[in-house]
Amino acid sequence: MRVSTPLTLQADGDWNGLALRPTFAMLHALSTSTSLLVAARRLGVSYRSAWSRISDLEAALGQPVAIKTKGHGTVLTPYGRTLHATLSEMYDRLGPLLAAEADRMTEALRRLEARQLPPLRLAASHDPLLLGVVEARADVELAIAGSLDALSHLRTGSADAAGFHYGSEGPAPDPFGAVFRDPDLHVRPLFRRQQGLMLPPGNPHGVTGVRDIARLDLRFVNRQRGAGTRIWFERLCAEAGLESRAIRGSQTEEFTHQAVAALIATGTADVGMGTPAIAERFGLAFQSLGWETYFLAARTTIDEALLTQLTEAAGRAASVTLGYQSTACG
């Protein structure tokens, strides 16, 4: 059970086989309406059904509670008015007590739920948008790790879910392909994001790709081993016929896009990979290298509702953030 809204408690009882709350509802509708037809509409029943309820009520009470009057519609009898007033006073007295008890019950159930549902342990590759999605959630514990390390935590059981990416789009390269084939895991796309080269303002060297980094002997800032961004960069180097180790500074490792951007912004480095939103935040130039999908892999035993909430929140954030797209967009 998930307690998302406060509970509502209602008092009911039985008197000589007569349910008190439906009785009060019928009497109250008649007392505040100009006709039985209006009362029936308020109760959401037909005119015939309303008369049937009155007949059943009078049979159980042995007293008439309503009467048709010429020019005044159907009104309560003196007995009916007295019964209505008695029940109304009772519910008025019980209302505050029930509301207070409902508040206590709601809080107790929330505490019980918190004990029964431990936070989702999420190991994930660093992404500013994902950080923003989960930072206010008490039901998610986030640990930053490279894509391969995040999946390793999931595999060993130290995480319940893993956020990962492998660069570009298309068939997943090894070892990521095995994640999509694992029957014990459910993999869903969280969002698409653009990645590229972050460069000094104005891109003074006219860099357009990894070949320019090597040709101009620029100082590169790499990501840590196992990071999806590093895997993408090494694949780009291989496609360009370059040894990534031959690029100046490729052994310099940072763990976040922000750390890479900070080195470039301070003049300590010339180029590194990241997202356009981070480049803009640090006042850097950005040269796109393409789009990729950021995935969430979770054990099939994990609460589906929580995973859906995370997916939907990520999609909403991606649709309004520079360099991101909701997976619903393509």
Side-chain angles (χ1 to χ4, degrees):
M1 177 176 65
R2 301 189 68 81
V3 183
S4 57
T5 57
L7 297 179
T8 299
L9 297 181
Q10 294 183 338
D12 203 350
D14 185 278
W15 177 38
N16 294 332
L18 191 67
L20 294 183
R21 179 159 287 278
T23 296
F24 175 69
M26 185 75 251
L27 295 174
H28 189 68
L30 280 170
S31 71
T32 56
S33 303
T34 56
S35 68
L36 181 60
L37 179 61
V38 174
R41 287 173 177 170
R42 289 183 176 180
L43 293 171
V45 299
S46 68
Y47 180 85
R48 178 175 296 182
S49 178
W51 261 124
S52 177
R53 292 188 183 189
I54 292 174
S55 298
D56 292 342
L57 178 58
E58 292 179 339
L61 293 171
Q63 295 279 349
V65 296
I67 186 171
K68 286 183 178 180
T69 62
K70 189 174 182 179
H72 297 284
T74 302
V75 297
L76 293 176
T77 63
Y79 180 88
R81 289 197 301 272
T82 301
L83 179 58
H84 171 254
T86 301
L87 292 175
S88 182
E89 289 175 4
M90 177 190 72
Y91 284 119
D92 285 344
R93 289 193 300 271
L94 288 176
L97 298 176
L98 290 173
E101 190 59 34
D103 288 342
R104 287 192 290 270
M105 190 65 178
T106 297
E107 184 57 32
L109 289 174
R110 283 175 175 161
R111 289 197 300 268
L112 179 61
E113 179 183 65
R115 290 196 296 271
Q116 290 178 334
L117 298 174
L120 176 76
R121 298 172 302 164
L122 172 61
S125 175
H126 177 266
D127 181 84
L129 184 143
L130 180 62
L131 287 176
V133 168
V134 304
E135 66 180 355
R137 298 192 66 104
D139 52 359
V140 179
E141 289 181 353
L142 176 63
I144 299 299
S147 288
L148 289 180
D149 288 338
L151 290 171
S152 177
H153 286 305
L154 178 60
R155 185 170 57 253
T156 60
S158 57
D160 306 309
F164 69 97
H165 61 106
Y166 46 80
S168 191
E169 294 183 317
D174 290 333
F176 295 100
V179 179
F180 294 88
R181 298 189 296 269
D182 190 332
D184 295 324
L185 297 178
H186 181 67
V187 183
R188 62 179 70 197
L190 276 185
F191 48 79
R192 296 179 72 237
R193 69 179 186 180
Q194 191 179 27
Q195 281 222 65
L197 299 176
M198 298 187 293
L199 302 146
N203 188 9
H205 299 289
V207 175
T208 60
V210 294
R211 284 192 178 91
D212 293 332
I213 300 174
R215 178 177 61 81
L216 297 168
D217 194 30
L218 299 178
R219 298 167 298 171
F220 182 74
V221 186
N222 215 343
R223 292 292 303 280
Q224 78 276 20
R225 295 183 184 278
T229 299
R230 179 167 180 153
I231 293 170
W232 191 357
F233 176 71
E234 291 177 348
R235 187 161 71 250
L236 289 171
C237 288
E239 292 170 355
L242 299 171
E243 284 283 345
S244 62
R245 291 173 299 177
I247 291 180
R248 183 182 174 193
S250 63
Q251 302 308 309
T252 302
E253 298 181 351
E254 292 292 344
F255 283 78
T256 67
H257 295 296
Q258 287 96 323
V260 173
L263 291 179
I264 300 168
T266 57
T268 306
D270 301 311
V271 59
M273 283 187 67
T275 63
I278 294 299
E280 181 182 62
R281 186 182 305 173
F282 282 82
L284 302 176
F286 179 80
Q287 179 65 42
S288 178
L289 294 174
W291 288 79
E292 64 177 349
T293 300
Y294 192 107
F295 294 95
L296 177 68
R299 301 185 183 281
T300 54
T301 55
I302 299 301
D303 179 25
E304 184 71 16
L306 174 56
L307 299 179
T308 298
Q309 290 174 13
L310 287 176
T311 302
E312 292 177 348
R316 288 192 298 270
S319 66
V320 295
T321 304
L322 175 66
Y324 288 83
Q325 289 180 351
S326 167
T327 52
C329 296

